Amino acid sequence: MCGLLEASTAAAAREDRFDWFCQTVSSEVMPVMLSSRHAADFRASFTYLDLGDVQLSALTCSPLLSRRTPSHVRRGDPEHLQLALVTQGSVRISQRGNESMVAGGLVLTDTSRPSEGACTGGQTETLVMQIPRQALALNSDRVDRLLAQSMAADAASGAILADFLQTLLTRGPHCRPEELRAMGSVTLDLTTAFLAQQLGDPGQAPAEARAQQALQRVYRFIDNNLGDPDLTPQTVADRHGFSLRTLYNLFADQPLSVAAHIRQRRLERAAADLARPELDRQPVQTIALRWGFSSNAAFGRAFREVYGITPSEHRRAALGHPGGVGQERPGLGDPGMPR
């Protein structure tokens, strides 16, 4: 899902609005059982913002109870950590033997574990950030200590994170997809810093967790700078204060070297653009340059090496055009390739 998905019972007042809300939460967030004494006059809205690395949802609803059982976990588990900011009303949450009442603060839960919750105090407004566990560069066992613990959002890093999330939800719908992906990286960094602070001095984290955190920062930096033709391993190392050897050691256990990863991500982005109907009239060379390739010839060679076909052939196949050269306008093909 890209950009903003917004639905509200105010826009579609129906007798089944509580059922609609239950279905929306179960499909867009995770399977869960919801109940409410206010089902007959239930009021709710749900807003979803896709940030690439993470997703941000805003839920407003009448009082309700929620329960996620082991059966729900088996039925659907996105393997996410969920960091919720309660901006109105109060939320009671229990998980892993912990229970907290949260009002105006933050609370962390794990979709892979059963949980129970309740929205009380009239209309409740909550921002929920969904974070893939593997994207959070912190030791999982340490993070589990924070589950269902109320954390302050009115001071220090908690206040910075809370303000950022609320601004992002307001301004995000006006951003382009690539801007939202960049904001997702910033969101993840702020969240990591906040949770690390809750766990104590980040410098005390195990060496393996610190290395993983550095690796995730590098991956996000690369993704946000693929269009820079000067993006090289040396550039990445310099921007992160590493020596080149340290950067190479960081990638030693990864499937691809840092240079190969940069090339692979550029090819993936270019291939995605070539398959977009709205970019059908853009020259292949324009797309190649957009994603940091120095020339159309270099792009064509790299593309054919990985995908086994030329960029133009990929475009025709993706857009359902016949394979004949007549579908390509002059100047849009691949240099040195038969036309």
Side-chain angles (χ1 to χ4, degrees):
M1 192 179 306
C2 181
L4 180 77
L5 170 70
E6 185 171 0
S8 169
T9 54
R14 303 175 309 208
E15 293 182 358
D16 62 349
R17 56 186 176 271
F18 180 66
D19 290 340
W20 163 83
F21 184 75
C22 294
Q23 292 168 5
T24 301
V25 171
S26 290
S27 62
E28 300 296 340
V29 183
M30 62 180 180
V32 63
M33 182 174 65
L34 302 175
S35 61
S36 175
R37 295 179 180 178
H38 302 269
D41 58 349
F42 194 79
R43 298 179 62 84
S45 65
F46 178 86
T47 303
Y48 174 92
L49 196 63
D50 188 347
L51 304 174
D53 289 329
V54 298
Q55 289 76 47
L56 183 63
S57 304
L59 291 87
T60 303
C61 64
S62 301
L64 58 74
L65 301 176
S66 69
R67 188 181 181 202
R68 182 162 164 83
T69 66
S71 175
H72 289 115
V73 174
R74 290 191 297 270
R75 190 187 314 165
D77 180 16
E79 298 184 358
H80 286 171
L81 290 169
Q82 295 186 336
L83 184 63
L85 170 65
V86 182
T87 57
Q88 180 179 323
S90 57
V91 173
R92 177 181 55 79
I93 189 73
S94 61
Q95 189 173 58
R96 199 173 177 258
N98 300 324
E99 182 171 329
S100 296
M101 181 67 76
V102 185
L106 292 146
V107 64
L108 187 71
T109 54
D110 181 357
T111 66
S112 299
R113 300 174 185 266
S115 62
E116 293 187 3
C119 296
T120 60
Q123 195 85 347
T124 301
E125 295 180 358
T126 309
L127 304 187
V128 181
M129 183 172 20
Q130 300 183 66
I131 312 163
R133 260 197 176 270
Q134 68 273 16
L136 190 67
L138 293 172
N139 182 278
S140 294
D141 291 338
R142 298 181 77 235
V143 170
D144 285 348
R145 302 174 195 171
L146 300 176
L147 295 178
Q149 302 280 5
S150 180
M151 296 174 283
D154 57 357
S157 57
I160 294 172
L161 177 60
D163 288 347
F164 181 80
L165 293 179
Q166 293 178 84
T167 300
L168 186 58
L169 192 69
T170 301
R171 305 295 186 184
H174 307 291
C175 295
R176 298 189 302 272
E178 57 269 25
E179 292 177 316
L180 290 176
R181 287 194 295 268
M183 290 299 99
S185 297
V186 174
T187 305
L188 191 54
D189 285 341
L190 288 174
T191 302
T192 301
F194 168 70
L195 294 177
Q197 191 64 40
Q198 298 300 307
L199 291 168
D201 183 357
Q204 299 301 312
E208 182 179 347
R210 293 199 302 272
Q212 182 63 21
Q213 185 174 5
L215 183 64
Q216 293 300 326
R217 285 201 308 270
V218 168
Y219 276 140
R220 292 195 292 273
F221 175 80
I222 289 172
D223 266 6
N224 291 335
N225 292 276
L226 290 172
D228 183 355
D230 295 324
L231 181 65
T232 65
Q234 186 65 63
T235 305
V236 174
D238 291 344
R239 289 294 298 271
H240 289 81
F242 300 151
S243 68
L244 202 53
R245 172 178 288 186
T246 297
L247 180 65
Y248 289 154
N249 287 339
L250 202 60
F251 275 76
D253 295 329
Q254 301 305 304
L256 297 174
S257 68
V258 60
H261 177 76
I262 291 172
R263 188 181 79 152
Q264 182 67 27
R265 292 297 289 145
R266 282 173 166 162
L267 287 171
E268 289 171 355
R269 293 288 180 84
D273 276 2
L274 288 167
R276 291 170 60 185
E278 66 271 24
L279 300 181
D280 189 23
R281 305 294 290 177
Q282 280 196 3
V284 170
Q285 183 175 6
T286 299
I287 292 174
L289 293 176
R290 176 185 302 140
W291 293 113
F293 287 94
S294 59
S295 70
N296 200 17
F299 173 57
R301 288 192 299 269
F303 197 96
R304 187 165 55 174
E305 179 182 334
V306 171
Y307 294 105
I309 58 176
T310 70
S312 295
E313 289 169 342
H314 167 73
R315 168 178 268 175
R316 288 195 292 268
L319 298 179
H321 295 325
V325 298
Q327 292 298 318
E328 286 283 1
R329 292 186 294 134
L332 300 196
D334 308 294
M337 309 285 182
R339 295 182 57 81

